[in-house]
mmCIF file of all heavy atoms in Angstrom:
data_model
loop_
_atom_site.group_PDB
_atom_site.id
_atom_site.type_symbol
_atom_site.label_atom_id
_atom_site.label_comp_id
_atom_site.label_asym_id
_atom_site.label_seq_id
_atom_site.Cartn_x
_atom_site.Cartn_y
_atom_site.Cartn_z
ATOM 1 N N PRO A 1 112.583 67.224 98.890
ATOM 2 C CA PRO A 1 112.265 67.502 97.518
ATOM 3 C C PRO A 1 112.812 68.848 97.111
ATOM 4 O O PRO A 1 113.103 69.711 97.980
ATOM 5 C CB PRO A 1 110.691 67.524 97.483
ATOM 6 C CG PRO A 1 110.375 67.812 98.925
ATOM 7 C CD PRO A 1 111.442 67.304 99.832
ATOM 8 N N PRO A 2 113.008 68.967 95.811
ATOM 9 C CA PRO A 2 113.553 70.358 95.308
ATOM 10 C C PRO A 2 112.507 71.400 95.635
ATOM 11 O O PRO A 2 111.271 71.267 95.805
ATOM 12 C CB PRO A 2 113.602 70.173 93.797
ATOM 13 C CG PRO A 2 112.716 69.007 93.471
ATOM 14 C CD PRO A 2 112.854 68.122 94.675
ATOM 15 N N ALA A 3 113.063 72.625 95.870
ATOM 16 C CA ALA A 3 112.208 73.776 96.321
ATOM 17 C C ALA A 3 111.173 73.968 95.147
ATOM 18 O O ALA A 3 111.368 73.968 94.029
ATOM 19 C CB ALA A 3 113.080 74.990 96.404
ATOM 20 N N GLN A 4 109.904 74.143 95.698
ATOM 21 C CA GLN A 4 108.799 74.372 94.839
ATOM 22 C C GLN A 4 108.221 75.783 95.057
ATOM 23 O O GLN A 4 108.170 76.212 96.131
ATOM 24 C CB GLN A 4 107.693 73.314 94.982
ATOM 25 C CG GLN A 4 108.155 71.939 94.594
ATOM 26 C CD GLN A 4 107.027 70.871 94.857
ATOM 27 O OE1 GLN A 4 106.062 71.177 95.483
ATOM 28 N NE2 GLN A 4 107.266 69.670 94.335
ATOM 29 N N HIS A 5 107.652 76.312 94.030
ATOM 30 C CA HIS A 5 107.044 77.608 94.224
ATOM 31 C C HIS A 5 105.712 77.361 94.910
ATOM 32 O O HIS A 5 104.982 76.536 94.604
ATOM 33 C CB HIS A 5 106.800 78.348 92.853
ATOM 34 C CG HIS A 5 108.107 78.578 92.111
ATOM 35 N ND1 HIS A 5 109.059 79.453 92.530
ATOM 36 C CD2 HIS A 5 108.702 78.109 90.976
ATOM 37 C CE1 HIS A 5 110.074 79.540 91.831
ATOM 38 N NE2 HIS A 5 109.857 78.646 90.869
ATOM 39 N N PRO A 6 105.312 78.247 95.822
ATOM 40 C CA PRO A 6 104.037 78.016 96.538
ATOM 41 C C PRO A 6 102.913 78.271 95.474
ATOM 42 O O PRO A 6 103.024 79.012 94.532
ATOM 43 C CB PRO A 6 104.063 79.098 97.604
ATOM 44 C CG PRO A 6 105.045 80.162 97.172
ATOM 45 C CD PRO A 6 106.056 79.319 96.373
ATOM 46 N N ASN A 7 101.834 77.525 95.702
ATOM 47 C CA ASN A 7 100.670 77.583 94.793
ATOM 48 C C ASN A 7 99.976 78.916 95.097
ATOM 49 O O ASN A 7 99.357 79.131 96.117
ATOM 50 C CB ASN A 7 99.772 76.309 94.993
ATOM 51 C CG ASN A 7 98.641 76.345 94.038
ATOM 52 O OD1 ASN A 7 98.408 77.182 93.241
ATOM 53 N ND2 ASN A 7 97.882 75.228 94.137
ATOM 54 N N PRO A 8 99.930 79.784 94.096
ATOM 55 C CA PRO A 8 99.218 81.047 94.259
ATOM 56 C C PRO A 8 97.748 80.951 94.203
ATOM 57 O O PRO A 8 97.064 81.969 94.378
ATOM 58 C CB PRO A 8 99.804 81.982 93.247
ATOM 59 C CG PRO A 8 100.058 81.009 92.109
ATOM 60 C CD PRO A 8 100.600 79.723 92.760
ATOM 61 N N CYS A 9 97.276 79.818 93.739
ATOM 62 C CA CYS A 9 95.811 79.591 93.578
ATOM 63 C C CYS A 9 95.075 79.209 94.809
ATOM 64 O O CYS A 9 95.673 78.621 95.719
ATOM 65 C CB CYS A 9 95.597 78.553 92.456
ATOM 66 S SG CYS A 9 96.374 79.038 90.903
ATOM 67 N N PRO A 10 93.808 79.450 94.814
ATOM 68 C CA PRO A 10 92.949 78.942 96.001
ATOM 69 C C PRO A 10 92.903 77.454 95.984
ATOM 70 O O PRO A 10 93.205 76.807 94.936
ATOM 71 C CB PRO A 10 91.606 79.645 95.752
ATOM 72 C CG PRO A 10 91.510 79.942 94.351
ATOM 73 C CD PRO A 10 92.985 80.202 93.857
ATOM 74 N N PRO A 11 92.537 76.813 97.133
ATOM 75 C CA PRO A 11 92.330 75.386 97.156
ATOM 76 C C PRO A 11 91.450 74.855 96.077
ATOM 77 O O PRO A 11 90.377 75.417 95.759
ATOM 78 C CB PRO A 11 91.780 75.096 98.510
ATOM 79 C CG PRO A 11 92.057 76.309 99.368
ATOM 80 C CD PRO A 11 92.047 77.483 98.348
ATOM 81 N N GLY A 12 91.873 73.726 95.391
ATOM 82 C CA GLY A 12 91.104 73.097 94.355
ATOM 83 C C GLY A 12 91.477 73.654 92.982
ATOM 84 O O GLY A 12 90.899 73.301 91.982
ATOM 85 N N TYR A 13 92.495 74.667 93.003
ATOM 86 C CA TYR A 13 92.947 75.133 91.658
ATOM 87 C C TYR A 13 94.428 75.055 91.618
ATOM 88 O O TYR A 13 95.124 74.952 92.678
ATOM 89 C CB TYR A 13 92.483 76.679 91.502
ATOM 90 C CG TYR A 13 91.043 76.828 91.318
ATOM 91 C CD1 TYR A 13 90.193 76.931 92.483
ATOM 92 C CD2 TYR A 13 90.431 76.867 90.084
ATOM 93 C CE1 TYR A 13 88.828 77.082 92.403
ATOM 94 C CE2 TYR A 13 89.116 77.093 89.965
ATOM 95 C CZ TYR A 13 88.307 77.200 91.063
ATOM 96 O OH TYR A 13 86.905 77.334 90.962
ATOM 97 N N GLU A 14 95.023 75.093 90.443
ATOM 98 C CA GLU A 14 96.398 75.050 90.332
ATOM 99 C C GLU A 14 96.785 75.933 89.122
ATOM 100 O O GLU A 14 96.046 76.085 88.203
ATOM 101 C CB GLU A 14 96.947 73.627 90.063
ATOM 102 C CG GLU A 14 96.375 72.866 88.865
ATOM 103 C CD GLU A 14 96.791 71.433 88.709
ATOM 104 O OE1 GLU A 14 97.491 70.968 89.655
ATOM 105 O OE2 GLU A 14 96.472 70.802 87.733
ATOM 106 N N PRO A 15 98.053 76.456 89.050
ATOM 107 C CA PRO A 15 98.403 77.322 87.935
ATOM 108 C C PRO A 15 98.762 76.557 86.703
ATOM 109 O O PRO A 15 99.227 75.408 86.710
ATOM 110 C CB PRO A 15 99.723 78.034 88.514
ATOM 111 C CG PRO A 15 100.182 77.142 89.555
ATOM 112 C CD PRO A 15 99.010 76.455 90.122
ATOM 113 N N ASP A 16 98.318 77.062 85.573
ATOM 114 C CA ASP A 16 98.778 76.418 84.393
ATOM 115 C C ASP A 16 100.022 77.038 83.713
ATOM 116 O O ASP A 16 100.636 77.800 84.456
ATOM 117 C CB ASP A 16 97.528 76.471 83.256
ATOM 118 C CG ASP A 16 97.117 77.875 82.895
ATOM 119 O OD1 ASP A 16 97.819 78.810 83.278
ATOM 120 O OD2 ASP A 16 96.120 78.043 82.239
ATOM 121 N N ASP A 17 100.288 76.815 82.416
ATOM 122 C CA ASP A 17 101.439 77.354 81.779
ATOM 123 C C ASP A 17 101.472 78.849 81.722
ATOM 124 O O ASP A 17 102.607 79.545 81.684
ATOM 125 C CB ASP A 17 101.622 76.759 80.367
ATOM 126 C CG ASP A 17 101.875 75.202 80.508
ATOM 127 O OD1 ASP A 17 102.243 74.718 81.517
ATOM 128 O OD2 ASP A 17 101.637 74.559 79.512
ATOM 129 N N GLN A 18 100.324 79.472 81.709
ATOM 130 C CA GLN A 18 100.202 80.873 81.581
ATOM 131 C C GLN A 18 99.984 81.539 82.967
ATOM 132 O O GLN A 18 99.605 82.669 83.103
ATOM 133 C CB GLN A 18 99.065 81.336 80.751
ATOM 134 C CG GLN A 18 99.352 81.065 79.186
ATOM 135 C CD GLN A 18 99.068 79.628 78.714
ATOM 136 O OE1 GLN A 18 98.257 78.942 79.361
ATOM 137 N NE2 GLN A 18 99.865 79.123 77.808
ATOM 138 N N ASP A 19 100.268 80.794 83.995
ATOM 139 C CA ASP A 19 100.040 81.179 85.370
ATOM 140 C C ASP A 19 98.698 81.592 85.731
ATOM 141 O O ASP A 19 98.408 82.499 86.566
ATOM 142 C CB ASP A 19 101.084 82.404 85.748
ATOM 143 C CG ASP A 19 102.446 81.856 85.880
ATOM 144 O OD1 ASP A 19 102.549 80.653 86.268
ATOM 145 O OD2 ASP A 19 103.422 82.604 85.729
ATOM 146 N N SER A 20 97.674 81.010 84.996
ATOM 147 C CA SER A 20 96.227 81.274 85.360
ATOM 148 C C SER A 20 95.871 80.165 86.215
ATOM 149 O O SER A 20 96.259 79.016 86.062
ATOM 150 C CB SER A 20 95.390 81.195 84.026
ATOM 151 O OG SER A 20 95.805 82.389 83.215
ATOM 152 N N CYS A 21 94.897 80.379 87.087
ATOM 153 C CA CYS A 21 94.461 79.312 88.030
ATOM 154 C C CYS A 21 93.321 78.435 87.256
ATOM 155 O O CYS A 21 92.309 79.073 86.860
ATOM 156 C CB CYS A 21 93.898 79.968 89.225
ATOM 157 S SG CYS A 21 95.152 80.709 90.298
ATOM 158 N N VAL A 22 93.618 77.243 87.192
ATOM 159 C CA VAL A 22 92.612 76.367 86.550
ATOM 160 C C VAL A 22 92.120 75.301 87.572
ATOM 161 O O VAL A 22 92.943 74.904 88.503
ATOM 162 C CB VAL A 22 93.119 75.642 85.347
ATOM 163 C CG1 VAL A 22 93.435 76.671 84.222
ATOM 164 C CG2 VAL A 22 94.406 74.884 85.667
ATOM 165 N N ASP A 23 90.887 74.776 87.422
ATOM 166 C CA ASP A 23 90.384 73.792 88.301
ATOM 167 C C ASP A 23 91.123 72.516 88.299
ATOM 168 O O ASP A 23 91.525 72.077 87.233
ATOM 169 C CB ASP A 23 88.809 73.673 87.945
ATOM 170 C CG ASP A 23 88.215 72.521 88.835
ATOM 171 O OD1 ASP A 23 88.298 72.632 90.036
ATOM 172 O OD2 ASP A 23 87.628 71.607 88.212
ATOM 173 N N VAL A 24 91.288 71.924 89.414
ATOM 174 C CA VAL A 24 91.911 70.494 89.530
ATOM 175 C C VAL A 24 90.747 69.543 89.448
ATOM 176 O O VAL A 24 89.731 69.639 90.297
ATOM 177 C CB VAL A 24 92.609 70.369 90.823
ATOM 178 C CG1 VAL A 24 93.133 68.961 90.984
ATOM 179 C CG2 VAL A 24 93.766 71.389 90.902
ATOM 180 N N ASP A 25 90.786 68.663 88.549
ATOM 181 C CA ASP A 25 89.711 67.540 88.409
ATOM 182 C C ASP A 25 90.129 66.491 89.392
ATOM 183 O O ASP A 25 90.936 65.597 88.979
ATOM 184 C CB ASP A 25 89.634 67.102 86.954
ATOM 185 C CG ASP A 25 88.454 66.166 86.837
ATOM 186 O OD1 ASP A 25 87.887 65.766 87.821
ATOM 187 O OD2 ASP A 25 88.052 65.991 85.602
ATOM 188 N N GLU A 26 89.609 66.537 90.653
ATOM 189 C CA GLU A 26 89.996 65.558 91.619
ATOM 190 C C GLU A 26 89.541 64.110 91.267
ATOM 191 O O GLU A 26 90.118 63.117 91.709
ATOM 192 C CB GLU A 26 89.425 65.936 92.992
ATOM 193 C CG GLU A 26 90.039 67.182 93.648
ATOM 194 C CD GLU A 26 89.329 68.510 93.197
ATOM 195 O OE1 GLU A 26 88.451 68.403 92.298
ATOM 196 O OE2 GLU A 26 89.720 69.532 93.708
ATOM 197 N N CYS A 27 88.467 64.069 90.486
ATOM 198 C CA CYS A 27 87.885 62.755 90.145
ATOM 199 C C CYS A 27 88.834 62.080 89.105
ATOM 200 O O CYS A 27 89.089 60.945 89.228
ATOM 201 C CB CYS A 27 86.513 62.980 89.517
ATOM 202 S SG CYS A 27 85.359 63.628 90.657
ATOM 203 N N ALA A 28 89.265 62.892 88.123
ATOM 204 C CA ALA A 28 90.140 62.261 87.059
ATOM 205 C C ALA A 28 91.486 61.986 87.608
ATOM 206 O O ALA A 28 92.101 60.982 87.183
ATOM 207 C CB ALA A 28 90.247 63.199 85.844
ATOM 208 N N GLN A 29 91.983 62.720 88.592
ATOM 209 C CA GLN A 29 93.331 62.522 89.138
ATOM 210 C C GLN A 29 93.278 61.657 90.392
ATOM 211 O O GLN A 29 94.347 61.523 91.073
ATOM 212 C CB GLN A 29 94.080 63.805 89.413
ATOM 213 C CG GLN A 29 94.190 64.703 88.226
ATOM 214 C CD GLN A 29 94.811 66.050 88.541
ATOM 215 O OE1 GLN A 29 95.639 66.094 89.498
ATOM 216 N NE2 GLN A 29 94.579 67.131 87.725
ATOM 217 N N ALA A 30 92.140 61.034 90.679
ATOM 218 C CA ALA A 30 92.057 60.180 91.897
ATOM 219 C C ALA A 30 92.454 60.873 93.099
ATOM 220 O O ALA A 30 93.206 60.286 94.016
ATOM 221 C CB ALA A 30 92.732 58.889 91.663
ATOM 222 N N LEU A 31 92.102 62.103 93.229
ATOM 223 C CA LEU A 31 92.500 62.914 94.460
ATOM 224 C C LEU A 31 91.217 63.055 95.468
ATOM 225 O O LEU A 31 91.275 64.000 96.187
ATOM 226 C CB LEU A 31 93.014 64.306 94.125
ATOM 227 C CG LEU A 31 94.171 64.357 93.162
ATOM 228 C CD1 LEU A 31 94.527 65.766 92.764
ATOM 229 C CD2 LEU A 31 95.393 63.645 93.932
ATOM 230 N N HIS A 32 90.298 62.146 95.285
ATOM 231 C CA HIS A 32 88.909 62.265 96.056
ATOM 232 C C HIS A 32 88.968 61.126 97.059
ATOM 233 O O HIS A 32 89.832 60.222 97.013
ATOM 234 C CB HIS A 32 87.807 62.206 95.062
ATOM 235 C CG HIS A 32 87.745 60.814 94.361
ATOM 236 N ND1 HIS A 32 87.231 59.704 94.806
ATOM 237 C CD2 HIS A 32 88.287 60.525 93.109
ATOM 238 C CE1 HIS A 32 87.372 58.753 93.934
ATOM 239 N NE2 HIS A 32 87.966 59.175 92.920
ATOM 240 N N ASP A 33 88.057 61.207 97.960
ATOM 241 C CA ASP A 33 87.939 60.119 98.921
ATOM 242 C C ASP A 33 86.487 59.426 98.868
ATOM 243 O O ASP A 33 85.948 58.993 99.869
ATOM 244 C CB ASP A 33 88.150 60.737 100.398
ATOM 245 C CG ASP A 33 87.164 61.808 100.764
ATOM 246 O OD1 ASP A 33 86.403 62.224 99.942
ATOM 247 O OD2 ASP A 33 87.263 62.279 101.845
ATOM 248 N N CYS A 34 85.959 59.483 97.647
ATOM 249 C CA CYS A 34 84.593 58.854 97.489
ATOM 250 C C CYS A 34 84.794 57.273 97.618
ATOM 251 O O CYS A 34 85.781 56.702 97.136
ATOM 252 C CB CYS A 34 84.142 59.113 96.028
ATOM 253 S SG CYS A 34 83.822 60.796 95.751
ATOM 254 N N ARG A 35 83.744 56.688 98.160
ATOM 255 C CA ARG A 35 83.761 55.228 98.319
ATOM 256 C C ARG A 35 83.629 54.562 96.934
ATOM 257 O O ARG A 35 83.094 55.159 96.099
ATOM 258 C CB ARG A 35 82.590 54.782 99.151
ATOM 259 C CG ARG A 35 82.718 55.395 100.633
ATOM 260 C CD ARG A 35 83.781 54.635 101.459
ATOM 261 N NE ARG A 35 83.783 55.175 102.843
ATOM 262 C CZ ARG A 35 83.643 54.479 103.871
ATOM 263 N NH1 ARG A 35 83.355 53.173 103.794
ATOM 264 N NH2 ARG A 35 83.727 54.958 105.001
ATOM 265 N N PRO A 36 84.068 53.239 96.873
ATOM 266 C CA PRO A 36 83.921 52.562 95.591
ATOM 267 C C PRO A 36 82.395 52.483 95.160
ATOM 268 O O PRO A 36 82.224 52.489 93.885
ATOM 269 C CB PRO A 36 84.425 51.102 95.897
ATOM 270 C CG PRO A 36 85.341 51.358 97.017
ATOM 271 C CD PRO A 36 84.808 52.488 97.861
ATOM 272 N N SER A 37 81.497 52.506 96.012
ATOM 273 C CA SER A 37 80.090 52.461 95.706
ATOM 274 C C SER A 37 79.551 53.824 95.250
ATOM 275 O O SER A 37 78.399 53.953 94.876
ATOM 276 C CB SER A 37 79.294 51.984 96.820
ATOM 277 O OG SER A 37 79.341 52.772 97.924
ATOM 278 N N GLN A 38 80.344 54.907 95.273
ATOM 279 C CA GLN A 38 79.935 56.252 95.025
ATOM 280 C C GLN A 38 80.536 56.760 93.653
ATOM 281 O O GLN A 38 81.592 56.233 93.205
ATOM 282 C CB GLN A 38 80.307 57.293 96.118
ATOM 283 C CG GLN A 38 79.623 56.839 97.439
ATOM 284 C CD GLN A 38 80.082 57.771 98.627
ATOM 285 O OE1 GLN A 38 81.278 58.284 98.520
ATOM 286 N NE2 GLN A 38 79.309 57.939 99.595
ATOM 287 N N ASP A 39 79.742 57.703 93.087
ATOM 288 C CA ASP A 39 80.208 58.343 91.866
ATOM 289 C C ASP A 39 80.953 59.682 92.249
ATOM 290 O O ASP A 39 80.373 60.433 93.099
ATOM 291 C CB ASP A 39 79.206 58.672 90.907
ATOM 292 C CG ASP A 39 78.622 57.346 90.281
ATOM 293 O OD1 ASP A 39 79.379 56.358 90.187
ATOM 294 O OD2 ASP A 39 77.430 57.337 89.880
ATOM 295 N N CYS A 40 82.032 60.043 91.624
ATOM 296 C CA CYS A 40 82.725 61.334 91.914
ATOM 297 C C CYS A 40 82.394 62.275 90.859
ATOM 298 O O CYS A 40 82.457 61.920 89.598
ATOM 299 C CB CYS A 40 84.244 61.105 91.967
ATOM 300 S SG CYS A 40 85.200 62.589 92.270
ATOM 301 N N HIS A 41 81.945 63.520 91.201
ATOM 302 C CA HIS A 41 81.615 64.530 90.301
ATOM 303 C C HIS A 41 82.423 65.775 90.608
ATOM 304 O O HIS A 41 82.457 66.270 91.710
ATOM 305 C CB HIS A 41 80.137 64.923 90.425
ATOM 306 C CG HIS A 41 79.170 63.729 90.161
ATOM 307 N ND1 HIS A 41 78.893 63.421 88.782
ATOM 308 C CD2 HIS A 41 78.473 62.896 91.001
ATOM 309 C CE1 HIS A 41 78.004 62.285 88.942
ATOM 310 N NE2 HIS A 41 77.784 62.082 90.143
#
């Protein structure tokens, strides 16, 4: 893959357009491992 800049944010956050760290919504982006019978918060 093309060279990417390392993520300067702590785990669970990502930089936005202004290089501020914003929370990653793992539930909305399906980045969670919750079972189908469980709710993701």
Side-chain angles (χ1 to χ4, degrees):
Q4 296 179 347
H5 299 293
N7 185 356
C9 299
Y13 293 85
E14 62 185 1
D16 62 6
D17 296 338
Q18 289 79 33
D19 287 334
S20 298
C21 292
V22 294
D23 175 52
V24 175
D25 189 343
E26 293 88 355
C27 299
Q29 298 182 27
L31 302 176
H32 60 85
D33 59 356
C34 296
R35 299 286 180 121
S37 62
Q38 297 174 333
D39 292 333
C40 180
H41 299 282

